Amino acid sequence: MPAFLLKVVKGLAIHFATKYAAELLVKAAIEAMEKAAKRTSTVIDDEIVAKVKADRDTIISIVRGKG
């Protein structure tokens, strides 16, 4: 019985990791890009961050393998 429960827990962990990990990684990357863009005096990096933020959902679906 414990082996079955272990398999169920592993399955759930993998499911939630694949479901939410991509979103967390993309959000963390965007946050890092925003912080880096604030340190520069150029406008180009700010525009790139804005474009990435606008396409966030598409990027997440690509990272998940659904895009």
Side-chain angles (χ1 to χ4, degrees):
M1 186 68 167
F4 174 72
L5 290 175
L6 185 61
K7 287 183 180 182
V8 170
V9 171
K10 278 185 180 179
L12 287 172
I14 290 171
H15 169 73
F16 286 114
T18 56
K19 185 173 183 178
Y20 296 110
E23 186 174 350
L24 293 174
L25 287 172
V26 171
K27 284 183 178 181
I30 290 173
E31 186 176 326
M33 290 171 62
E34 286 177 330
K35 287 180 182 178
K38 288 179 184 176
R39 288 190 230 147
T40 63
S41 61
T42 61
V43 183
I44 295 171
D45 49 359
D46 297 327
E47 293 172 358
I48 292 171
V49 171
K51 289 180 182 180
V52 169
K53 284 176 81 172
D55 293 334
R56 185 184 71 188
D57 294 333
T58 305
I59 295 169
I60 290 171
S61 67
I62 290 170
V63 171
R64 285 184 183 161
K66 298 179 182 179

